[in-house]
Amino acid sequence: MYKGSTKLYAMLLAATSMTGLASCGNSKTEEQVKAEALFSDAQSMYESEQYDKSIALIDSLSKTYPGLLDVQRNAMHLKTLVTEKKTILDSISNDSIIAANRQVADSLSKNFKFIKTKDMVEGYYVKTSVSADNLTKRTDIEAHIDERGNIYLVSSLYGINAKHTRLKASCDGNEAETENVAFDNAKNYRYKDGSTPVEMVTFDKDACDTLCQFILTNRDKKIYLEFCGNRNHKIQLSSGTKNAVADTYLYAKSKAELKKAEDLRLYYAKKLQITRRQSRQTATNISGTKE
């Protein structure tokens, strides 16, 4: 039904345009000639599936020749046809994004566990391979995903008094850093385990995104991590830490992209419904008949 109605509207559009041309005869003004040429170009762009260019020409026609009502009615209808085609293509592309991200998310989901104790306000997801040893007893980083689906990175520096506020990863001459998280006893806090200094910093999604992406890209190479503060302390990331951070970042990203694409699917469906209703109405405005 869609293809048939589109062809019908296109035929109606062409027929109406020719009627307008015939009725004007030699009495066309210069503006009419230019407006009809612009409309013809827009129609050609539509037929060659160059939809963005077609819409740009229609918008230009609308602004430049607002008083030529016959041409404007044809242009308004053509715009609904262009929008319909473009929305269908966008929807198909979006469905591919949904499929790809769902496959990644589903394949990774079984490798994550949810942790929330009675003392925790909010739980988090962490890769099942992450060591059960308390992070506060070692120097390392852990990637978590909060209940809203956002990744964050927790760093622990055990036995070193560096007063670190950021992290820097390096590999093969390339580097990536987190944003700076100032000492505040909330996201950045320090204490002593007996006589051993411990420093822990939480880097939220925006602060750690670049570094996590860097680890994902270079997970099969040697990556050195530097705890940067009043003094710097560098370690080589283990394969387990690299893979845990990389998979957590990939999982969080695929889940976020999947949610965005699923929301867009609803948007495109609604947009298509509205556009088709507008297309019927603009076709009626051209023909001067009631549906």
Side-chain angles (χ1 to χ4, degrees):
M1 179 173 289
Y2 156 66
K3 290 184 178 179
S5 60
T6 301
K7 289 181 179 179
L8 176 63
Y9 294 151
M11 291 171 63
L12 174 61
L13 192 59
T16 306
S17 299
M18 292 185 66
T19 301
L21 289 172
S23 63
C24 291
N26 295 324
S27 63
K28 287 184 185 179
T29 65
E30 183 178 353
E31 278 197 342
Q32 286 175 314
V33 172
K34 290 181 178 179
E36 288 172 0
L38 196 57
F39 173 77
S40 179
D41 289 343
Q43 196 167 23
S44 294
M45 291 298 102
Y46 164 67
E47 291 168 356
S48 62
E49 300 182 359
Q50 299 182 63
Y51 302 127
D52 289 334
K53 289 183 179 180
S54 181
I55 288 178
L57 289 171
I58 292 168
D59 289 342
S60 177
L61 190 157
S62 177
K63 292 177 182 178
T64 309
Y65 308 103
L68 300 179
L69 299 184
D70 286 342
V71 180
Q72 291 295 341
R73 290 190 187 98
N74 287 323
M76 287 176 62
H77 180 62
L78 177 60
K79 189 170 185 177
T80 65
L81 300 182
V82 176
T83 301
E84 181 178 14
K85 287 278 192 177
K86 190 173 185 304
T87 302
I88 290 172
L89 291 180
D90 289 342
S91 181
I92 292 172
S93 177
N94 188 63
D95 284 345
S96 297
I97 293 173
I98 289 175
N101 282 284
R102 179 172 289 140
Q103 182 178 9
V104 173
D106 288 348
S107 66
L108 289 171
S109 63
K110 61 181 178 293
N111 298 322
F112 283 80
K113 59 187 175 183
F114 182 70
I115 295 178
K116 185 174 184 180
T117 67
K118 62 180 181 180
D119 299 324
M120 297 170 62
V121 175
E122 181 177 317
Y124 62 89
Y125 295 89
V126 65
K127 201 173 179 193
T128 54
S129 61
V130 170
S131 173
D133 294 339
N134 195 329
L135 182 61
T136 62
K137 297 289 186 179
R138 54 193 167 91
T139 294
D140 206 352
I141 56 173
E142 280 186 7
H144 299 169
I145 300 174
D146 65 26
E147 293 184 18
R148 296 176 298 281
N150 298 313
I151 190 172
Y152 63 95
L153 201 63
V154 182
S155 66
S156 175
L157 187 55
Y158 188 80
I160 305 292
N161 188 11
K163 295 182 172 59
H164 79 285
T165 59
R166 62 188 173 88
L167 303 172
K168 180 168 66 175
S170 58
C171 175
D172 292 343
N174 298 312
E175 296 180 342
E177 297 184 4
T178 65
E179 292 181 4
N180 190 69
V181 177
F183 174 67
D184 60 0
N185 280 322
K187 288 187 176 181
N188 184 332
Y189 60 98
R190 304 158 191 162
Y191 63 96
K192 285 193 174 182
D193 179 20
S195 60
T196 304
V198 183
E199 301 176 7
M200 300 197 75
V201 182
T202 299
F203 301 89
D204 63 21
K205 178 182 180 295
D206 291 335
C208 74
D209 186 87
T210 300
L211 187 136
C212 291
Q213 174 69 65
F214 183 83
I215 293 174
L216 171 62
T217 302
N218 299 284
R219 70 157 83 190
D220 295 327
K221 303 176 183 178
K222 285 185 179 180
I223 300 176
Y224 293 93
L225 184 74
E226 198 165 355
F227 297 76
C228 303
N230 288 358
R231 56 178 287 200
N232 294 353
H233 180 71
K234 183 183 287 188
I235 64 171
Q236 181 179 331
L237 291 179
S238 67
S239 295
T241 296
K242 288 186 296 182
N243 287 326
V245 172
D247 286 346
T248 304
Y249 180 76
L250 190 59
Y251 185 45
K253 186 176 181 180
S254 64
K255 291 278 284 184
E257 290 295 325
L258 180 59
K259 175 64 169 59
K260 179 181 176 181
E262 286 175 338
D263 289 343
L264 277 175
R265 172 183 275 174
L266 297 176
Y267 166 77
Y268 288 136
K270 185 65 175 178
K271 184 178 180 180
L272 201 55
Q273 182 182 26
I274 293 172
T275 299
R276 285 172 173 168
R277 183 167 65 245
Q278 291 173 335
S279 187
R280 291 192 295 271
Q281 181 59 51
T282 52
T284 299
N285 293 341
I286 291 174
S287 66
T289 60
K290 297 295 183 181
E291 288 187 303

